[in-house]
Amino acid sequence: ANEPLSPFSTFKVVNSLIALDLGLIKNASQTLTFNKEAYPVQAWWPHVWKLPSYNLTTAFKYSMVAIYRQLATDIGEKNMQAYLKKLQYGNEDISSGLDSFWLNGSMKISAMEQVQLLSEIYHNEMAFNDQALNTLKEVMLLETATNYRIYAKTGAGKVDDGSMLGWYIGFVENTKGVHFFALNFNSPTYAAMKAKRTSLMKNHLKSAGIIE
């Protein structure tokens, strides 16, 4: 839980929040684009990365990497570094590239740090604007049940030993309060990781009595 690892697409939580706080994104339905010369469409991209248009809701849901690489570029190195220092995000190291440091690059963060970060964001301990936080919650909402709501983000990518690292981070609101979580594990392949990621996360939340 204390091992620093690449955040992969879990960084989209913070990338979205920074863009919202700066006003680069006004709301969850604003159309988002990316430079197709800098980030050309690849044959291996899943079909959800080839949609005719995106907004924050769909880019976040489908974890559209090119949109978020463009957002990081638009945020700029100075702003990105300042926000990550403010958030104390992992090792705060963006040296491997402004548009890629979270993709098995220089940025590392542990599960415990992810939980602390989510708690501080949720309780707005760093004075982000309310609209930014409300919009972030809107796009993070994954499941609404009678007694709870799950807000979450997945992440995955190949790490140096060739295995696939999978992440699941977020929080649950229920009648007892707010509960933050961060799960990570390695699998031989993406398919193997994806097949058990959601059930692993939910089983932990069920065993803790947070969801039913």
Side-chain angles (χ1 to χ4, degrees), residues 10-56:
T10 64
F11 185 71
K12 289 183 172 69
V13 173
V14 165
N15 208 353
S16 301
L17 179 58
I18 295 170
L20 287 162
D21 197 60
L22 286 170
L24 295 174
I25 304 175
K26 308 296 183 187
N27 54 59
S29 58
Q30 175 185 323
T31 299
L32 301 177
T33 59
F34 63 96
N35 183 335
K36 289 185 172 64
E37 289 186 7
Y39 310 114
V41 174
Q42 303 292 317
W44 60 267
W45 281 10
H47 74 277
V48 291
W49 287 9
K50 299 176 183 177
L51 302 182
S53 65
Y54 291 90
N55 55 33
L56 187 61

Side-chain angles (χ1 to χ4, degrees), residues 9-162:
S9 284
T10 64
F11 185 71
K12 289 183 172 69
V13 173
V14 165
N15 208 353
S16 301
L17 179 58
I18 295 170
L20 287 162
D21 197 60
L22 286 170
L24 295 174
I25 304 175
K26 308 296 183 187
N27 54 59
S29 58
Q30 175 185 323
T31 299
L32 301 177
T33 59
F34 63 96
N35 183 335
K36 289 185 172 64
E37 289 186 7
Y39 310 114
V41 174
Q42 303 292 317
W44 60 267
W45 281 10
H47 74 277
V48 291
W49 287 9
K50 299 176 183 177
L51 302 182
S53 65
Y54 291 90
N55 55 33
L56 187 61
T57 299
T58 53
F60 191 90
K61 178 181 179 180
Y62 298 128
S63 220
M64 208 306 185
V65 170
I67 292 283
Y68 278 91
R69 294 185 75 180
Q70 184 67 57
L71 270 181
T73 301
D74 294 345
I75 287 166
E77 188 172 339
K78 185 177 178 181
N79 279 329
M80 183 68 79
Q81 193 71 74
Y83 271 97
L84 295 183
K85 184 175 182 180
K86 175 181 178 179
L87 289 159
Q88 295 184 303
Y89 189 96
N91 62 2
E92 303 173 26
D93 185 353
I94 67 172
S95 62
S96 63
L98 176 60
D99 66 350
S100 60
F101 59 80
W102 64 93
L103 301 169
N104 200 35
S106 55
M107 177 62 68
K108 306 292 180 186
I109 190 169
S110 71
M112 294 299 290
E113 288 171 327
Q114 293 263 35
V115 167
Q116 180 65 30
L117 175 79
L118 288 168
S119 175
E120 290 173 357
I121 289 173
Y122 184 91
H123 296 294
N124 201 12
E125 294 177 17
M126 287 156 287
F128 289 97
N129 76 68
D130 289 338
Q131 184 180 351
L133 287 173
N134 290 337
T135 304
L136 178 65
K137 280 190 70 177
E138 180 185 335
V139 300
M140 285 186 72
L141 182 60
L142 182 71
E143 181 181 334
T144 302
T146 306
N147 299 318
Y148 63 84
R149 288 187 298 271
I150 300 176
Y151 301 81
K153 184 71 192 83
T154 56
K158 187 174 284 189
V159 291
D160 295 343
D161 66 2

